[in-house]
Amino acid sequence: MLKHSCKVVSVCLCACMPMYFSCVPSSCSSDTFDNKSVNTNTQEKTTSISAGTDSKLSPPESSSLPAYESEKMSPSPAVTPPTKLKYISLGVLVLQNTSLVLTMRYSRTLKEDGPRYLASSAVVSAEMLKIVACIFLIFRDHTFSWRALNHVLREEIVNKPKETLKLAIPSGIYTFQNNLLYVALSNLDAATYQVTYQLKILTTALFSMSMLGKRLGIYQWLSLLVLMAGIALVQWPAEAPGTPEQTEASSSSQLVGVLAVLAACCSSGFAGVYFEKILKETTQSVWVRNIQLGLSGLIFGLVVMFVHDGEAVRESSMFRGYNRLTWTVVLLQAFGGLVIATVIKYADNILKSFAAPFSIILSCIISYLWLADFDPTSLFFLGTVLVIAATVLYGYGERAKAAGSPQSV
């Protein structure tokens, strides 16, 4: 088994590391993040506009890295602190992407006494925690002033119901997507899920073209073709050991998981682009927008929970089957997007594009060695390498387009 796992590491790393060292000095953008992520430039622009709007309530923010800018440059050839922050941010992104998927998969397949927790209730719990976290962040941004916090919530949330209603569409889609992710990870191993979920790059690109009028470069179109080929290889049916009944049940379960992932990719692409479009037309902060999203998502989540699991909730409670692992999944889902929004400003775009490939590699290794629910094939290896290459190539295409390349379609 150790020999086989070494093969996993060597094949995957050999695929992505040469492209990494050839692209590190540059910058590109990535659409590979899940959970309510939007264009980074849009977030920074929106946050800065919001800071100007709320200047009466809070003092102007200092530079994101004041200590590093004020320190004298050391003659030592060691890595400078800003560069360290970039790689720390990359590590946080990889850790968040990987840990959420692996813990969610483990929590849905772990055999233990008593009933399993309800996925719909976990989505509701995550929305509630996210709202509380965003309120605290606004409270912190306004120097922990209760009066300022009350003013922001009243003026931006209570007195602007139309702004909240604008987000009802993406909020409902995100709630639907989060429930789909539990369905997918209940039927697919973490490695297959991670690779297949990269199809959201394609859906996001297509929705960006149709809704935002963006144009893709040659490298990006090529990367999308490579991406589809890689996912097709990953999903290529393989002979499974066991009786015909077991094989049929396994194929049926995998089909349900794949359909859930495909639906989640489509919903993620549409909701992300729709949210990006709204952010470009508003002066509200990202935290306020996330509260509006969370409020609508909480309502949709409660509806799904009572429609789908109403009887189980009435018999026990919505927290039936919760344990430490369940709360870990809920916390990761609630705070994952907020953590990404916080650390993403320190990471180069080229580094962000490598978060997904590294997360895929880690998921493959841990699924094989720890969860023991992953039996890779040669086609899976080839497909994974193509998906990783497509992710990096898409980021390279963004860099080429930003540099002024006229080759766009």
Side-chain angles (χ1 to χ4, degrees), residues 110-269:
L110 179 65
K111 295 181 180 180
E112 56 184 357
D113 297 333
R116 192 182 305 278
Y117 73 93
L118 303 174
S120 58
S121 73
V123 173
V124 172
S125 299
E127 292 296 336
M128 291 190 293
L129 287 177
K130 188 185 69 176
I131 293 173
V132 173
C134 288
I135 292 175
F136 174 78
L137 289 171
I138 295 175
F139 186 47
R140 183 205 62 180
D141 290 343
H142 291 83
T143 63
F144 299 99
S145 169
W146 290 104
R147 185 177 180 181
L149 175 63
N150 180 64
H151 177 80
V152 172
L153 295 180
R154 186 176 64 254
E155 294 297 324
E156 300 294 339
I157 306 295
V158 179
N159 295 340
K160 294 182 179 180
K162 291 184 179 180
E163 295 295 324
T164 303
L165 288 177
K166 284 183 180 179
L167 296 175
I169 294 177
S171 179
I173 294 175
Y174 278 132
T175 303
F176 174 67
Q177 172 192 336
N178 289 333
N179 281 279
L180 284 174
L181 297 186
Y182 281 96
V183 175
L185 284 167
S186 297
N187 294 277
L188 292 176
D189 59 84
T192 303
Y193 165 84
Q194 281 277 48
V195 177
T196 308
Y197 195 51
Q198 300 312 309
L199 193 63
K200 65 182 178 180
I201 298 176
L202 172 64
T203 60
T204 301
L206 295 179
F207 282 118
S208 296
M209 292 175 60
S210 60
M211 297 173 63
L212 300 179
K214 291 186 177 180
R215 304 180 67 185
L216 301 181
I218 299 298
Y219 290 114
Q220 291 171 300
W221 280 113
L222 178 60
S223 70
L224 295 180
L225 294 176
V226 175
L227 176 68
M228 290 188 291
I231 292 178
L233 290 176
V234 167
Q235 294 300 331
W236 195 269
E239 294 184 2
T243 64
E245 292 78 8
Q246 292 175 335
T247 302
E248 183 178 356
S250 176
S251 300
S252 177
S253 176
Q254 185 171 10
L255 178 61
V256 172
V258 171
L259 292 177
V261 173
L262 294 179
C265 289
C266 293
S267 61
S268 174

Side-chain angles (χ1 to χ4, degrees), residues 25-46:
S26 309
S27 64
C28 63
S29 66
S30 171
D31 295 315
T32 59
F33 295 106
D34 140 285
N35 257 28
K36 306 184 182 180
S37 61
V38 294
N39 184 274
T40 307
N41 295 331
T42 303
Q43 290 182 348
E44 295 175 352
K45 178 181 177 182
T46 306

Side-chain angles (χ1 to χ4, degrees), residues 61-93:
E61 296 182 358
S62 59
S63 174
S64 58
L65 298 172
Y68 298 139
E69 293 176 352
S70 61
E71 290 177 356
K72 295 181 179 180
M73 295 297 294
S74 171
S76 172
V79 180
T80 60
T83 303
K84 289 182 180 179
L85 273 180
K86 292 177 183 179
Y87 286 99
I88 290 174
S89 300
L90 173 64
V92 171
L93 294 176

